Amino acid sequence: MADSLISLFDAVLSDLDGVVYAGPHAIPGAVESLQRLETVGVGLGYVTNNASRTPAQVAAHLRELGAPAEDHQVVSSSQAAGELLASMLPAGAHVLITGSAALAHEIELAGLKPVHSAAESPVAVVQGFNPEIGWKDLAEASYVVAGGAMWFATNTDMSIPQARGMAPGNGTLVAAVAAATGKAPLVAGKPEAPLFHAAAKRLKADRPLVVGDRLDTDILGGNRAGFATAAVLTGVDTTHTIIAARTDERPDYLLADLTGLYAPYPEVVSDAGMFRCGAATAVAGDGIVTVTGLEGDLDAWRAACAAWWAAVPDTDVAQTPQLVWRNH
């Protein structure tokens, strides 16, 4: 494994939804790739924005799928929220839970008192994903936030991958309260760096690789944490959205799925404005990327990304090039 991508790192910090599983089912090749990490001496942590389940429940689900998972290997946004609230509120402060029992548990572990109604005088609201949330829950949160309470969100993922497709994520529920109140929450989980730093610290990792399917949470968060990042194509983002990524959301590596960790990563070589990866080349100019290669070949996309990102090194907004494909 000396020449494989994974040989460069001492740990993998993996996202869950869209990387390990979609809905109840494991993504093909994912479980085997995670099991293999131990054989090459690489640590494993799971970094999740899903605050609807406890880390122990997440670990149990991973084990059911056959993936290696001890409870301590799971670091959740609800844990990060608990730490954030505890740093800003006095012990025993009442916090309205707009989320799951798992989120309430983490808030309680942080020394705060979870409550479920405005009548219990909460000084803060914490909002996390729970598929059971209804209008009344969002209304209660809105009343408390509008009344001046501090507002926290575990995460702001706008969508969540399910077996049947993309479903609304916690960000859509947070957006409803934001629209009703005109306010914005403090966010505890991805894409903020502390979640990734906490996971690396648990694994005693100096050179972790963050692997995720979302540019706006996994890749942005990993980049902000100062870690190497790899985007996989098994979830939300695609080759088309990745090439268009704003600077802060660009991954260091582009993989089809987790099995790519065990292959040598092809070098992208630049020569007088031409970028070559494997047998493919790409040149960027005037908003156009001309790629010589096959659209289904990942090396062609790696070359295309390198060419476009060199042409547009600093951008705060996604910029989509016109792609021109030429066969060899």
Side-chain angles (χ1 to χ4, degrees):
M1 301 310 297
D3 59 350
S4 64
L5 175 60
I6 198 60
S7 66
L8 302 173
F9 303 100
D10 60 0
V12 167
L13 304 181
S14 178
D15 179 47
L16 294 174
D17 293 316
V19 178
V20 182
Y21 51 71
H25 302 296
I27 287 166
V31 167
E32 295 79 5
S33 299
L34 295 169
Q35 289 171 336
R36 199 169 164 189
L37 288 172
E38 189 176 5
T39 68
V40 294
V42 173
L44 172 60
Y46 299 99
V47 182
T48 177
N49 261 358
N50 187 340
S52 64
R53 297 183 294 176
T54 66
Q57 288 170 326
V58 172
H61 178 219
L62 286 164
R63 290 193 295 270
E64 285 170 14
L65 294 174
E70 300 295 329
D71 294 0
H72 69 87
Q73 288 176 281
V74 178
V75 186
S76 75
S77 62
S78 54
Q79 288 178 320
E83 291 179 18
L84 181 60
L85 268 73
S87 72
M88 298 180 72
L89 298 172
H94 287 203
V95 177
L96 180 74
I97 308 296
T98 307
S100 66
L103 176 58
H105 179 64
E106 293 297 341
I107 297 307
E108 199 165 25
L109 287 178
L112 304 165
K113 183 170 176 55
V115 300
H116 296 279
S117 128
E120 295 175 271
S121 305
V123 296
V125 175
V126 63
Q127 191 168 354
F129 184 71
N130 179 2
E132 306 300 320
I133 278 179
W135 179 87
K136 287 183 178 178
D137 303 298
L138 297 177
E140 200 73 12
S142 299
Y143 304 146
V144 177
V145 170
M150 295 179 75
W151 182 25
F152 301 85
T154 57
N155 66 295
T156 51
D157 296 48
M158 295 307 286
S159 60
I160 185 168
Q162 298 290 291
R164 293 167 58 193
M166 287 296 159
N170 195 52
T172 60
L173 304 172
V174 169
V177 177
T181 61
K183 296 179 185 287
L186 290 169
V187 181
K190 297 184 262 186
E192 306 308 322
L195 199 52
F196 295 94
H197 287 147
K201 187 176 174 183
R202 281 194 201 181
L203 297 173
K204 298 181 173 60
D206 298 316
R207 302 183 317 282
L209 175 65
V210 173
V211 182
D213 67 309
R214 299 184 71 112
L215 300 179
D216 61 346
T217 54
D218 307 315
I219 305 305
L220 177 58
N223 287 343
R224 282 179 173 171
F227 299 153
T229 53
V232 292
L233 301 174
T234 46
V236 171
D237 276 295
T238 66
T239 48
H240 290 275
T241 60
I242 290 168
I243 194 172
R246 59 194 188 97
T247 306
D248 290 348
E249 296 182 358
R250 292 171 178 172
D252 297 299
Y253 304 100
L254 181 57
L255 304 176
D257 52 41
L258 288 177
T259 61
L261 295 172
Y262 299 96
Y265 195 82
E267 187 180 4
V268 179
V269 180
S270 111
D271 180 19
M274 175 179 280
F275 291 79
R276 179 181 299 277
C277 185
T281 61
V283 179
D286 298 323
I288 299 169
V289 178
T290 303
V291 190
T292 304
L294 299 172
E295 195 169 347
D297 177 18
L298 208 49
D299 282 350
W301 283 101
R302 290 162 174 155
C305 285
W308 181 241
W309 296 347
V312 186
D314 295 302
T315 176
D316 290 333
V317 294
Q319 295 202 31
T320 305
Q322 180 184 341
L323 290 160
V324 176
W325 293 90
R326 292 182 177 160
N327 293 332
H328 293 287

